[in-house]
Amino acid sequence: MTDPGMKCTRCKAPARFRFPQHNARFCDACLDLVIHRQVDKAIRRFQMLEPGQPVLVAISGGKDSLALWRILCELGYPAQGLHLRLELGPFSEASLEASQAMARLLGRPLHVRRLADLAGATVQEVVWANKREFCAVCGSLKRYYLNRVCLEMGLPVLATGHHLDDETGRMLGNLLHGRQDHLDRTWPVLDAWQDGFVKKIKPLCRLGGDEILAYATAHQLPVAQGSCSGAKGATLPYYQEAMRYLESKMPGTKRDLYLGFLRRAAGPPAPPSPGAACQVCGHPTHVGTCTVCRMLERTRAWRGRAPRRR
Ligand SMILES: [Zn+2]
Ligand SMILES: [Zn+2]
């Protein structure tokens, strides 16, 4: 990230951070300015938030969500945090502590909910009962309950820390496997839908993981160390690694892919059709009962059959 003797491209002060994709080096103060500008630009361009609008931020305890929370507060949005406790071992506990430390630093409220309370089952139980990949189940449950809790709290917008590396990694996977419908839904804003969806936004979509890491380092954000012990079956990291390779050979590739796609796209994806609500919970779905309600139904049935676990 650094070379000794580097000078800031903007102000010529000693620079700590180098970004080949911008052919630029920044000191700490200019890094802040540039990062805040990029997020502000994304918020305005995609009409994510009105000035000063309250927003709930999904806080995992990793660098992306902690940086997003700080940036939104710095830009004048009264952002509250929501942390879902997954309870998958020491990393989950470190993630909770990191989220709480960030809330104290910002002086902002953090809401903490146990996924097991919300779902009435642990992630592991849902995985066992449905015989599905751990990360797929965990991801579905997290997305579902972040949305539900945000709805219950009456906050109109949910922000997540997804950035350029997440979006381009996902795009590459969708491209390679011909998932055109997923590809067509690439957009950093998902509008609210009837009573089932809050508006979802990705204000970090113009920033790479390296830029967010630099920001987290510059501000010594209390990022949770380690990785999830449950992480099995996730394929996104492979696509992200492939994108990192391309980026290292051709700086700017990620921005070209993502921002170029958005420029050429007709606009935000069409909302679900009016009748497409889950019979059980009202969540948007095309199949009568939504994926999460079906997974939880199977989990309850499995519990009735399974020998008691200690
Ligand atoms: Zn500078
Ligand atoms: Zn449902």
Side-chain angles (χ1 to χ4, degrees), residues 144 148 277-285 288-294:
Y144 180 89
R148 280 223 89 74
C278 170
Q279 297 158 351
V280 180
C281 73
H283 197 266
T285 182
T289 304
C290 77
T291 316
V292 168
C293 286
R294 275 184 289 141

Side-chain angles (χ1 to χ4, degrees), residues 77-120:
Y77 298 98
Q80 307 185 23
L82 169 61
H83 177 79
L84 290 186
R85 291 191 66 181
L86 305 176
E87 300 176 291
L88 301 172
F91 181 62
S92 297
E93 295 314 304
S95 302
L96 172 65
E97 283 161 24
S99 308
Q100 289 168 330
M102 193 69 212
R104 284 193 296 274
L105 267 176
L106 294 173
R108 299 293 308 161
L110 174 74
H111 308 275
V112 178
R113 304 287 295 270
R114 291 180 65 224
L115 190 73
D117 289 341
L118 292 163

Side-chain angles (χ1 to χ4, degrees), residues 10 26-40 75 215 219:
R10 285 190 77 253
F26 296 121
C27 68
D28 287 26
C30 291
L31 175 78
D32 256 33
L33 201 89
V34 168
I35 296 271
H36 289 172
R37 265 192 200 158
Q38 289 290 337
V39 176
D40 187 49
L75 291 176
Y215 186 87
H219 291 287

Side-chain angles (χ1 to χ4, degrees), residues 174 179-187 261-262 265-270:
N174 290 334
R179 293 187 290 250
Q180 187 64 38
D181 52 330
H182 284 64
L183 203 55
D184 290 343
R185 284 201 295 275
T186 303
W187 199 257
F261 179 91
L262 295 184

